């Protein structure tokens, strides 16, 4: 991860412009949004936040959520989970206001599992490809939970899959992830959360994911 302690580099990234993929959301006296930009021939996503803080015993006055998300991504990378590659990440207090940036590479070849099912509702796909995809999702969950970490915002739009070439699965939007005291608590939270809004994943396919998961 390329991180600079300098204000100049931070301001350069802050000033980047591109198409909004998540329009700025203004709440709790802060802002959060994500833009897609091109740099050196690569598609990048720039998440920028102001005054988006989490509080804990260690940080009673608040700490930027992006700082936590960077730590989560690094933790999951070590566990072998497919997550966005960090290009730049930093939080700075400027004129009394917390500003935070997270720049990640595009997960090339991956699409959300929801989009995958919508696409293949029209275009047929071989059963072995679907089975491989379901197993890849199970493997991704297993690796994440192996370090007692829950996603924390476990919805179909945050599960990403690739079925062209090597079949793989991974996760996006990890700012709400947290480490649990037991693996079982992480499993219960993520699976229960996903099952509330499972569509368009067929119930039978999700049962297969869980069967693969518990067989690993």
């Amino acid at each position: 991860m390329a991180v600079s302690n300098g204000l100049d580099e931070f301001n350069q990234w802050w000033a980047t412009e591109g198409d909004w993929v998540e329009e700025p959301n203004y709440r709790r006296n802060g802002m959060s949004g994500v833009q897609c930009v091109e740099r050196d021939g690569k598609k990048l996503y720039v998440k920028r936040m102001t005054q988006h803080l989490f509080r804990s015993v260690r940080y009673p006055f608040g700490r930027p959520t992006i700082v936590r998300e960077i730590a989560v991504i690094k933790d999951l990378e070590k566990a072998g989970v497919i997550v966005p590659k960090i290009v730049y990440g930093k939080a700075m207090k400027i004129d009394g206001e917390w500003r935070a940036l997270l720049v990640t590479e595009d997960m090339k070849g991956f699409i959300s599992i929801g989009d995958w099912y919508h696409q293949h509702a029209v275009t047929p796909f071989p059963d072995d490809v679907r089975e491989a995809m379901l197993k890849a999702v199970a493997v991704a969950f297993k690796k994440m939970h192996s370090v007692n970490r829950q996603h924390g915002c476990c919805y179909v739009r945050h599960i990403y899959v690739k079925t062209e070439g090597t079949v793989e699965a991974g996760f996006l939007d990890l700012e709400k992830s947290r480490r649990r005291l037991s693996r079982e608590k992480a499993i219960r939270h993520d699976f229960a959360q996903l099952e509330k809004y499972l569509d368009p994943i067929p119930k039978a396919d999700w049962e297969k994911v869980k069967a693969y998961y518990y067989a690993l």
Side-chain angles (χ1 to χ4, degrees), residues 202-216:
K203 177 69 173 176
D205 280 8
W206 175 240
E207 291 302 320
K208 286 185 178 181
V209 170
K210 290 195 291 186
Y212 280 128
Y213 182 96
Y214 289 113
L216 290 169

Side-chain angles (χ1 to χ4, degrees), residues 29-133:
N29 299 317
M31 179 276 292
S32 174
V34 181
Q35 285 183 313
C36 180
V37 304
E38 293 280 342
R39 177 169 288 199
D40 299 326
K42 290 184 178 181
K43 182 187 289 187
L44 305 176
Y45 292 96
V46 181
K47 177 187 284 189
R48 71 194 77 216
M49 292 181 167
T50 61
Q51 295 298 111
H52 267 247
L53 310 176
F54 70 92
R55 288 172 173 78
S56 64
V57 174
R58 187 177 180 184
Y59 300 110
F61 299 108
R63 187 76 169 157
T65 57
I66 276 181
V67 173
R68 180 169 59 184
E69 187 170 6
I70 291 169
V72 171
I73 290 173
K74 292 170 72 175
D75 191 32
L76 292 180
E77 274 185 329
K78 290 179 182 177
V81 182
I82 295 173
V83 288
K85 180 178 175 57
I86 298 174
V87 175
Y88 179 85
K90 192 170 185 63
M92 300 188 78
K93 204 164 193 178
I94 300 174
D95 297 328
E97 176 186 71
W98 275 111
R99 295 185 181 184
L101 283 165
L102 176 59
V103 183
T104 56
E105 290 186 5
D106 177 46
M107 292 175 71
K108 191 172 182 180
F110 285 80
I111 59 173
S112 78
I113 195 170
D115 287 343
W116 190 91
Y117 275 101
H118 285 309
Q119 286 183 10
H120 292 291
V122 178
T123 306
F125 53 90
D127 286 343
D128 61 333
V129 173
R130 176 152 85 177
E131 290 296 323
M133 183 271 290

Side-chain angles (χ1 to χ4, degrees), residues 191-206:
F191 287 2
Q193 191 173 46
L194 183 60
E195 287 169 356
K196 286 181 181 179
Y197 307 99
L198 197 57
D199 186 67
I201 303 174
K203 177 69 173 176
D205 280 8
W206 175 240

